[in-house]
Amino acid sequence: VQLQASGGGLVQPGGSLRLSCAASGFSLDYYVVGWFRQAPGKEREGVSCSNNIVANTYYLDSVKGRFTISRDNAKNTVYLQMNSLKPEDTAVYYCAADPRTYYSPNYYCTSADAMRYWGKGTQVTVSS
């Protein structure tokens, strides 16, 4: 089971990035998936989590209306589209997945260590 995140980089405030998380060794169709981030000196926080089985999605309040989580089941990949980026979005972003779909996305995103499988992070820096 592997998760590989990519797509991070340096972007100016107001800009956009799309993060990708490719899964191998299992199908994301039947997993809760999520994106988390950790800024220097801060605890990891859940940005967005999605439960495909019950069509339920969680977003951190500070990213609502700017970030969108989505899946491409054919590519076994999860995306995080990030628009209107702000300097405070600067962090290392991680993707994660868990097969226990009876838990809500809210539970996973507000319990930063609940997900079973984690990918390595990708750095997002928002700066002029």
Side-chain angles (χ1 to χ4, degrees):
V1 173
Q2 280 193 324
L3 294 168
Q4 181 65 51
S6 61
L10 173 63
V11 63
Q12 292 187 342
S16 297
L17 280 176
R18 188 178 78 159
L19 304 183
S20 300
C21 177
S24 58
F26 67 103
S27 172
L28 285 173
D29 287 13
Y30 306 106
Y31 279 67
V32 180
V33 295
W35 288 95
F36 297 76
R37 68 186 181 186
Q38 188 166 20
K42 295 188 177 181
E43 292 186 353
R44 187 165 59 192
E45 62 181 356
V47 175
S48 181
C49 294
S50 170
N51 186 332
N52 214 28
I53 304 301
V54 296
N56 196 358
T57 304
Y58 166 94
Y59 288 100
L60 185 67
D61 282 347
S62 61
V63 308
K64 284 181 181 177
R66 300 189 297 122
F67 291 11
T68 303
I69 190 170
S70 63
R71 307 179 189 225
D72 184 331
N73 291 333
K75 295 183 178 179
N76 211 25
T77 299
V78 180
Y79 302 99
L80 185 69
Q81 178 67 43
M82 305 186 295
N83 299 328
S84 303
L85 281 161
K86 303 176 182 180
E88 51 264 43
D89 295 318
T90 295
V92 178
Y93 283 71
Y94 301 87
C95 61
D98 197 288
R100 296 168 296 173
T101 55
Y102 44 83
Y103 289 127
S104 70
N106 183 295
Y107 164 74
Y108 282 111
C109 257
T110 58
S111 309
D113 293 321
M115 291 277 196
R116 184 169 296 175
Y117 303 115
W118 291 83
K120 293 182 180 179
T122 184
Q123 175 72 46
V124 172
T125 303
V126 185
S127 175
S128 54

